[in-house]
Amino acid sequence: MNARERLLDVSELEPPEPLELTLESATRLSAGEYLRMLHRRFPCLLFDNLDKQGYGHLIRSGRETACEVFIWRRDDAMAAEAAHAAAKGLSEWRE
């Protein structure tokens, strides 16, 4: 089975919608899937929530938006590997 990306663009939404939609979308990830979230700014409130709920994540500077966040279930090695591979061509986030 190949890992699959789910894309979520929240770059045009106002708070708290990006946080709510991202957390909701993460709960719907199946085995082998990761979420690629596009945002116009750094979603600072997201990361503690992800950590507490058992998700891994990477933060990168985006190509089309300011910030891209890759999210996967921490126990899903296939999704984690695919998310890291997808993020490889992007610059690390710098605040």
Side-chain angles (χ1 to χ4, degrees):
M1 173 160 94
N2 291 330
R4 220 176 50 165
E5 177 178 284
R6 287 189 177 209
L7 183 63
L8 177 65
D9 186 347
V10 298
S11 61
E12 300 296 321
L13 301 177
E14 294 300 321
E17 281 186 290
L19 175 64
E20 293 170 348
L21 284 174
T22 302
L23 292 174
E24 179 184 323
S25 296
T27 65
R28 287 192 253 132
L29 290 173
S30 298
E33 291 183 327
Y34 67 93
L35 183 65
R36 183 179 200 153
M37 188 266 288
L38 309 178
H39 203 306
R40 69 180 176 276
R41 61 183 190 180
F42 184 77
C44 59
L45 299 177
L46 177 63
F47 306 111
D48 281 344
N49 283 288
L50 291 173
D51 290 340
K52 288 176 187 173
Q53 294 179 29
Y55 295 96
H57 61 272
L58 291 170
I59 310 153
R60 297 292 185 259
S61 293
R63 289 189 182 108
E64 298 172 24
T65 60
C67 186
E68 293 190 24
V69 181
F70 298 81
I71 301 164
W72 62 91
R73 292 185 187 279
R74 217 178 276 136
D75 62 354
D76 190 339
M78 182 188 305
E81 183 179 331
H84 279 85
K88 190 174 183 178
L90 299 173
S91 300
E92 293 211 19
W93 178 262
R94 298 192 200 291
E95 283 192 84

